[in-house]
Amino acid sequence: VTNTKGAIANSVIYKGFKYDFGTGGIHGCIKPGVYESDDDYIILDLDVNSLYPNIAVQNKLFPAHLGPKFCEVYEDILNQRIVAKKAGNMTLSDGFKLSLNSVYGKSNDIHSFLYDPLYTLKTTINGQLMLAMLAEALVFQLNPYITILQVNTDGITIKLHRTCMEDYYNICKGWEENTNLSLEYVDYSKMIIRDVNNYMAISTKGK
């Protein structure tokens, strides 16, 4: 692998929803509109905690010239971020988050000591496949009571019949066990969507 730009550009339509796979991540979005929770359906959003850093840590991925020691250092930074976040120190947590995420970006920068485009693609391709696996499981098992609203790099947003909530969380738990990754959840009362990168979401807590 010598060049990541445009290395991946594929699309798949599954159960009426189009998933776009690219170098940087997976994307997909329902048609523009206003989508709201009601008495029967609720909008649910899930995000993978620190997707790219955790893919590297859990699967022992590292830039070839840095060796396995990279994973030890990377995991230490990741753990420090978790501790800071749990303690409510968001300044420190956000600082660690930037440090963690910049590793992925710099692995694709020829001027960085982290440069290794194969590591970049190992990270993004695995991330896309794992998120696609979760989306497929949700749609396959919860159809016809589910609508995918968005898929965006490290998260999935759906509209789901409230009677399927337990099944939803069980599917997500099974995915976590298979991947060794963890998910965060937010419930939305409304989403106003233009496209995958331009939207507004209001949580059920009013945020």
Side-chain angles (χ1 to χ4, degrees), residues 150-168:
Q150 284 190 342
V151 176
N152 192 358
T153 307
D154 62 352
I156 301 172
T157 311
I158 65 172
K159 191 170 183 179
L160 183 69
H161 199 278
R162 292 179 184 272
T163 58
C164 299
M165 295 280 285
E166 184 177 354
D167 291 333
Y168 165 74

Side-chain angles (χ1 to χ4, degrees), residues 33-193:
V34 178
Y35 300 88
E36 296 185 74
S37 296
D38 55 33
D39 290 342
D40 296 318
Y41 284 84
I42 184 170
I43 298 173
L44 303 169
D45 181 81
L46 60 83
D47 281 299
V48 186
N49 283 311
S50 299
L51 176 62
Y52 288 165
N54 269 310
I55 286 175
V57 169
Q58 296 299 331
N59 296 281
K60 306 302 180 188
L61 303 181
F62 51 85
H65 58 288
L66 296 179
K69 188 70 177 178
F70 166 88
C71 295
E72 294 180 30
V73 176
Y74 207 23
E75 185 172 14
D76 181 58
I77 298 171
L78 183 61
N79 288 336
Q80 289 186 68
R81 194 229 166 176
I82 292 170
V83 170
K85 190 174 182 179
K86 285 183 177 179
N89 188 339
M90 298 313 296
T91 300
L92 199 56
S93 174
D94 289 346
F96 283 127
K97 180 180 180 179
L98 287 172
S99 177
L100 290 163
N101 289 337
S102 68
V103 170
Y104 155 72
K106 290 298 182 181
S107 72
N108 197 31
D109 179 357
I110 196 170
H111 302 293
S112 172
F113 80 97
L114 292 163
Y115 181 66
D116 182 349
L118 181 57
Y119 168 86
T120 306
L121 290 182
K122 283 180 179 178
T123 302
T124 59
I125 291 173
N126 275 292
Q128 293 179 83
L129 290 175
M130 285 189 279
L131 208 65
M133 181 172 68
L134 177 55
E136 180 186 19
L138 290 169
V139 172
F140 182 78
Q141 296 183 50
L142 300 176
N143 189 57
Y145 304 104
I146 182 174
T147 300
I148 300 280
L149 299 182
Q150 284 190 342
V151 176
N152 192 358
T153 307
D154 62 352
I156 301 172
T157 311
I158 65 172
K159 191 170 183 179
L160 183 69
H161 199 278
R162 292 179 184 272
T163 58
C164 299
M165 295 280 285
E166 184 177 354
D167 291 333
Y168 165 74
Y169 287 114
N170 285 337
I171 294 167
C172 291
K173 183 179 178 181
W175 182 86
E176 288 178 316
E177 292 171 352
N178 284 334
T179 61
N180 286 325
L181 302 176
S182 61
L183 299 168
E184 291 182 326
Y185 303 95
V186 180
D187 299 347
Y188 292 151
S189 60
K190 181 186 290 189
M191 285 191 76
I192 303 97
I193 300 172

